[in-house]
Amino acid sequence: MYTIANIRPLGYNVGNHAINFALRHMLYETFGRLVSVIEYPATSKHESTTKAGLSAGTVHEINRFADGVIVGGGNLYENDEIAVDPRALAALQPPLMLFSNSRGRIYDRHGNLSDRSDVIPDSKLATLLGRADISLSRDTATHDYLSKIDARDQLGWCPTINMNRYAGNLPSLPENEDAGALISVRTPGLMNVPYWFQSRIQLDIERAIDALRAAGHKRIRILCNDSRDLDFATAFRYTKQVDSVYTNDVYQYLSLLKSASMVVSYRLHATLPAISFGTPTVNIVYDERAMSLFNDLGLTPATLNMVELGTGFSDALATAISKGGYTAQDHVGLAADWTAKGAEQFTQFARFKDMMQQYLERAGRGV
């Protein structure tokens, strides 16, 4: 039996669990059996634990029982959400894969793309990349930046493009549950866009609700990826008689996306599972990492950039909803490319498996 340490974002966002759901099932498929996956939070900022990231404590434990280490996937570089102790990292013994992490810029108050104030330092990136046996960036913007630091970095995309491959593992929703149309939101105060865009988001969503009703969707709900979205979502109960739904159970979350009549998404990890499942989707972006990944996946024509559209965004959103969103039929032309990208991810996991086997053989252990 293999044991893999997975250092990843935990915290509030169920979207991170969706990434992990896909990653785990890809690992099970690669190894042909269950593997033990031991999770550590990438940072202790959001967790009441001293063991997080690649710290002395975690590396000590990992060296004692793990056969490989995967850092990711998630938005770990953009906001420096990965703890790294260079001395501890130098002592790490099992092979290390950096998988599906992103670093992108955000829109500043003038509408220009700029680095975040808490972006990961290049020195930390260089330390991580220098020790990594495999580094797979989630999108081209991240890859272009990282490859200037370490030319070995490759493009790896997001494991959620394979989500429909594992749809059979999802439970049925309760008997009387009607998923309806879902608007996957992010609290405006947590969106890195100029304030004048933030101030319009409630009105944009109310316009989307009207458009969904006009298109014949009888049940509409605000889907919260994060418990911090609930306060904002509750407003629509009073303004538009629309309830919210939140779950931190990734199986229920994915089942909702699969069963929805349409998903209007401000969330990357609501969009990709929904598209993979074939659910009609209206996709909204507002930062570089999402724009870059959707461009890599061929989805730019089906994406609404909230900042670039400016005052025309609300009309464009209503029009996209009235046209039925991006459907399974629309995706037929990209299906082969997504399959090829998924196959490349499996090739990289097979490489990692070989590295783990070699590590164990050098240590004189069987598997």
Side-chain angles (χ1 to χ4, degrees), residues 27-324:
L27 290 173
Y28 299 156
E29 195 168 343
T30 298
F31 285 85
R33 51 177 154 159
L34 292 177
V35 294
S36 299
V37 180
I38 312 302
E39 295 184 351
Y40 292 94
T43 176
S44 59
K45 292 179 186 177
H46 315 296
E47 311 291 334
S48 57
T49 177
T50 57
K51 290 181 181 176
L54 290 160
S55 61
T58 55
V59 169
H60 173 71
E61 286 192 358
I62 286 167
N63 283 344
R64 289 175 65 85
F65 62 72
D67 309 316
V69 183
I70 297 176
V71 173
N75 182 25
L76 295 179
Y77 302 154
E78 181 177 300
N79 51 3
D80 195 13
E81 292 276 299
I82 173 71
V84 179
D85 179 332
R87 181 175 60 179
L89 182 59
L92 180 69
Q93 296 174 3
L96 171 65
M97 171 189 270
L98 307 176
F99 177 63
S100 194
N101 299 304
S102 66
R103 180 202 185 281
R105 294 170 296 172
I106 60 174
Y107 286 104
D108 63 21
R109 70 182 181 128
H110 305 294
N112 300 315
L113 286 170
S114 304
D115 280 341
R116 289 175 56 129
S117 59
D118 57 355
V119 68
I120 188 171
D122 287 355
S123 57
K124 185 188 282 192
L125 277 176
T127 299
L128 269 173
L129 291 164
R131 171 58 184 83
D133 298 285
I134 299 174
S135 176
L136 301 172
S137 290
R138 190 165 73 189
D139 56 80
T140 293
T142 303
H143 168 63
D144 286 349
Y145 193 92
L146 266 61
S147 61
K148 294 174 184 176
I149 298 173
D150 192 314
R152 296 176 302 145
D153 183 73
Q154 297 176 262
L155 195 55
W157 311 290
C158 183
T160 56
I161 63 173
N162 303 294
M163 196 65 80
N164 198 48
R165 193 179 186 111
Y166 308 113
N169 297 90
L170 299 176
S172 298
L173 293 172
E175 182 179 354
N176 295 319
E177 176 65 28
D178 173 16
L182 302 172
I183 304 177
S184 177
V185 300
R186 184 176 180 89
T187 296
L190 297 178
M191 294 172 68
N192 292 298
V193 293
Y195 179 75
W196 67 283
F197 284 96
Q198 291 180 355
S199 65
R200 294 191 334 217
I201 290 170
Q202 181 169 341
L203 292 177
D204 291 337
I205 293 174
E206 290 176 356
R207 178 84 181 275
I209 292 168
D210 290 339
L212 286 165
R213 285 182 171 144
H217 296 274
K218 297 193 180 303
R219 188 176 196 194
I220 303 165
R221 288 189 290 179
I222 307 298
L223 176 64
C224 301
N225 275 32
D226 187 319
S227 59
R228 293 174 297 177
D229 297 328
L230 282 165
D231 193 31
F232 173 63
T234 299
F236 300 99
R237 180 182 301 169
Y238 303 99
T239 63
K240 304 301 288 186
Q241 294 74 56
V242 167
D243 282 332
S244 61
V245 57
Y246 166 73
T247 177
N248 62 1
D249 182 327
V250 70
Y251 286 84
Q252 290 182 345
Y253 173 75
L254 294 173
S255 292
L256 283 167
L257 293 173
K258 182 175 181 293
S259 302
S261 58
M262 177 178 280
V263 173
V264 177
S265 177
Y266 287 82
R267 290 280 194 170
L268 172 64
H269 290 107
T271 295
L272 290 182
I275 289 177
S276 183
F277 292 141
T279 305
T281 305
V282 175
N283 179 34
I284 300 160
V285 299
Y286 50 87
D287 60 21
E288 185 179 45
R289 61 189 172 89
M291 289 187 296
S292 179
L293 178 57
F294 290 132
N295 190 56
D296 291 339
L297 298 176
L299 293 173
T300 297
T303 295
L304 303 177
N305 187 313
M306 187 173 76
V307 176
E308 291 183 358
L309 284 167
T311 56
F313 169 71
S314 185
D315 286 343
L317 177 58
T319 299
I321 291 170
S322 69
K323 289 182 176 179

Side-chain angles (χ1 to χ4, degrees), residues 323-363:
K323 289 182 176 179
Y326 182 85
T327 66
Q329 186 60 41
D330 296 323
H331 195 59
V332 167
L334 291 178
D337 180 63
W338 278 37
T339 298
K341 286 178 167 60
E344 175 58 25
Q345 290 174 331
F346 278 107
T347 296
Q348 297 291 351
F349 281 128
R351 281 184 60 210
F352 188 59
K353 177 185 176 183
D354 288 342
M355 291 177 182
M356 289 170 56
Q357 290 175 328
Q358 293 167 18
Y359 167 69
L360 294 172
E361 288 168 4
R362 289 194 301 270

